[in-house]
Amino acid sequence: MPSTNSSSAATTGGTDGLHGISATSVVASDLAQIEGSHSGSPDDTKGQLILSTHTGSALTAGLTIDEAQKSTFAGNVGIGGASSADLSIESSGTADSVIRINHNNAAGDPFVKLTTNAVNWSVGLDNSDADK
């Protein structure tokens, strides 16, 4: 797909396709696409960035970054290796594997919360009670 960009780019955006040639065909196909598009009301310039890859049958959004810089992944996320779960962090070195949650404020509590239907489990620091 060739790059597209309209004269009203502030409200519509554009796309840029990354092309490839199939080993069995001379027809060019989009292997991936980077899209910048408008995501707010008609009178603003809010935008989003969408990264898509081809699944073999269609271009499919894999990552969307919205106007608030919120990133949404369409599938699993792997850090340091293949993703075997919704979020997988793997390390093969000799150092510890660390997930760090840092709360830079005197008020508020850094914690991890696990939830299923009506059951909640949390572990963290109780900063509001002098870290007892």
Side-chain angles (χ1 to χ4, degrees):
M1 169 183 229
S3 296
T4 60
N5 202 352
S6 72
S7 60
S8 58
T11 57
T12 60
T15 62
D16 199 2
L18 305 172
H19 312 289
I21 303 294
S22 169
T24 60
S25 172
V26 294
V27 177
S29 62
D30 284 335
L31 301 176
Q33 177 176 284
I34 301 170
E35 176 185 345
S37 62
H38 185 253
S39 66
S41 62
D43 62 344
D44 67 26
T45 56
K46 293 179 180 178
Q48 62 184 0
L49 179 66
I50 302 170
L51 303 177
S52 301
T53 56
H54 206 287
T55 63
S57 57
L59 279 170
T60 303
L63 169 63
T64 302
I65 304 172
D66 70 11
E67 73 277 357
Q69 306 310 309
K70 178 182 173 187
S71 300
T72 304
F73 292 87
N76 295 348
V77 177
I79 300 172
S83 179
S84 58
D86 292 341
L87 174 61
S88 179
I89 301 172
E90 299 181 24
S91 175
S92 60
T94 58
D96 295 339
S97 294
V98 177
I99 297 174
R100 180 174 305 216
I101 300 173
N102 187 24
H103 185 78
N104 289 322
N105 196 319
D109 303 326
F111 67 95
V112 175
K113 183 176 188 178
L114 306 175
T115 303
T116 177
N117 293 339
V119 179
N120 295 307
W121 182 83
S122 300
V123 61
L125 295 175
D126 185 0
N127 200 32
S128 60
D129 192 18
D131 294 334
K132 294 180 187 175

